[in-house]
Amino acid sequence: MPDLALRDLGGAVVWTNDDLFAEVQNLIKTGPAEYRPATFGHKGQVYDGWETRRRRRDGVDQAIIRLGAPGVIYGVVVDTSWFKGNYPPEISVEATAVEGVVSAQQLVDDADWTTIVEKTQVDGDTRNPFKVDAKDRFTHVRLTMHPDGGVARFRVHGRGVPNPHFFRYGHFDLAALENGGLITACSNMFYSSPNNLLMPGRARHMGEGWETSRRRDSGNDWVQVRLAGQGRVSLVELDTSYFIGNAPGAATVRGRDGEDGEWFDVLPRTELQPDTRHRFVIDLDRPMTEARMDIFPDGGMARFKLYGLLTEESQAGLIEQWERGEA
């Protein structure tokens, strides 16, 4: 499951009551936390994480994170890497869903929070994973340390669920994480995650794409995506930006309607160029719920986008679910 809170996906820490020792925005950095011993600043050892001062009175320390892609949360990870004598003994996590853009103070004062991880013990210098059973769509999460301490990274894994009322205003990317697209299978992710393919915007370097190991057999690599809903694709984008000596030689895109449907061609086998944003207009009036991209034989891809429209039936179903409060 992708991390819905990542800064690269549009996530942000919008409020905290204290981050005196280490800045709270570090929680949602993409990479793992780093540590350099004996690197002292004016406030003490420099930590790549969120660290609060030592409490001398009762209370807790909290941070509120706006999800880059609002959606259903399946699990969270409270990563206390490098925090050994200063990690929180216990944590809890809550979530809320708000409409529109609200201020941090409104979230603190007025939001209706749902507990998704009860107050639970955590270990220091450890990735502490927690399963979440809530099936509602959330826009913000609140991490609480009991009573204080440091957390290096906070991961919120789930599936994006956008507001379906926006779907009616033109073509959009049916495969994007923020629109509900989801990687369901992949042949190889040796160098980097296929979730990178569905991130918003353009990649800034090779590490922000999907790259496979070198194949030494006659096969090829591929990735499969569940779309935001049943839709008709009218434009395919295959972006090999920054992949210069390791771009695929060619690619195909296929689709199917339903998990038991027959695969059909969306984009036939097409030669690709390195470090290039390829865009193909598709003349195909067939609905699809899943897509599969095959690259030949291996290599890297920065972005995979499928622009189109949801079918009327799919759009109506998503709006009905939304109005019932089901995600």
Side-chain angles (χ1 to χ4, degrees), residues 60-83:
V60 296
D61 289 327
Q62 296 181 313
I64 296 177
I65 298 95
R66 184 190 68 227
L67 298 180
V72 179
I73 300 171
Y74 291 93
V76 302
V77 177
V78 179
D79 185 351
T80 58
S81 292
W82 308 111
F83 288 96

Side-chain angles (χ1 to χ4, degrees), residues 10-316:
V13 183
V14 297
W15 176 87
T16 184
N17 65 302
D18 181 26
D19 61 350
L20 183 132
F21 282 122
E23 186 179 1
V24 70
Q25 295 292 342
N26 292 331
L27 282 174
I28 56 174
K29 284 183 177 178
T30 300
E34 300 177 349
Y35 180 75
R36 289 178 294 168
T39 51
F40 290 96
H42 178 67
K43 297 178 181 179
Q45 169 68 39
V46 177
Y47 275 95
D48 183 13
W50 170 43
E51 186 183 7
T52 67
R53 72 193 78 198
R54 301 189 188 206
R55 281 195 161 272
R56 303 308 185 197
R57 297 179 180 177
D58 292 341
V60 296
D61 289 327
Q62 296 181 313
I64 296 177
I65 298 95
R66 184 190 68 227
L67 298 180
V72 179
I73 300 171
Y74 291 93
V76 302
V77 177
V78 179
D79 185 351
T80 58
S81 292
W82 308 111
F83 288 96
K84 300 178 181 180
N86 50 352
Y87 63 92
E90 295 174 308
I91 62 90
S92 61
V93 182
E94 299 157 289
T96 190
V98 298
E99 291 296 325
V101 179
V102 300
S103 69
Q105 199 58 50
Q106 286 174 296
L107 289 166
V108 173
D109 295 339
D110 303 325
D112 183 15
W113 294 95
T114 299
T115 299
I116 60 173
V117 177
E118 298 286 348
K119 184 178 177 181
T120 308
Q121 180 179 339
V122 294
D123 295 321
D125 196 21
T126 302
R127 293 182 72 257
N128 299 273
F130 300 96
K131 183 179 178 181
V132 174
D133 293 324
K135 301 305 179 188
D136 297 324
R137 173 187 183 269
F138 295 114
T139 61
H140 296 75
V141 291
R142 182 166 66 186
L143 171 63
T144 301
M145 298 191 293
H146 303 266
D148 56 36
V151 173
R153 297 288 187 268
F154 181 50
R155 306 303 189 196
V156 183
H157 296 286
R159 174 176 57 88
V161 180
N163 187 329
H165 294 284
F166 294 136
F167 293 166
R168 67 186 67 180
Y169 294 106
H171 289 69
F172 73 108
D173 184 1
L174 293 163
L177 288 178
E178 59 186 338
N179 291 333
L182 189 68
I183 299 290
T184 56
C186 177
S187 63
N188 184 290
M189 49 180 149
F190 183 85
Y191 286 110
S192 49
S193 170
N195 282 320
N196 291 342
L197 289 169
L198 312 184
M199 295 289 279
R202 303 286 301 278
R204 293 168 294 183
H205 51 74
M206 188 191 300
E208 291 189 351
W210 167 55
E211 184 182 4
T212 71
S213 56
R214 300 190 187 207
R215 294 194 76 98
R216 305 303 187 189
D217 57 25
S218 59
N220 71 280
D221 288 320
W222 53 270
V223 65
Q224 191 168 309
V225 183
R226 188 178 74 191
L227 305 182
Q230 186 190 56
R232 291 181 172 87
V233 173
S234 55
L235 188 146
V236 172
E237 181 174 316
L238 306 178
D239 187 353
T240 61
S241 292
Y242 301 103
F243 290 96
I244 299 174
N246 51 356
T252 63
V253 178
R254 290 181 287 168
R256 68 179 179 182
D257 189 15
E259 294 183 359
D260 298 325
E262 294 291 328
W263 290 102
F264 56 86
D265 287 339
V266 176
L267 179 73
R269 182 160 175 159
T270 304
E271 290 189 2
L272 301 180
Q273 298 300 314
D275 196 22
T276 300
R277 185 185 184 194
H278 307 78
R279 308 188 89 193
F280 307 96
V281 175
I282 304 301
D283 184 15
L284 179 69
D285 189 25
R286 291 188 66 173
M288 51 192 283
T289 59
E290 294 187 71
R292 170 170 163 146
M293 176 179 65
D294 284 71
I295 59 174
F296 301 93
D298 55 32
M301 188 78 67
R303 294 289 186 269
F304 176 42
K305 298 180 182 294
L306 297 171
Y307 293 97
L309 292 173
L310 290 173
T311 61
E312 291 184 3
E313 295 82 2
S314 180
Q315 190 174 134

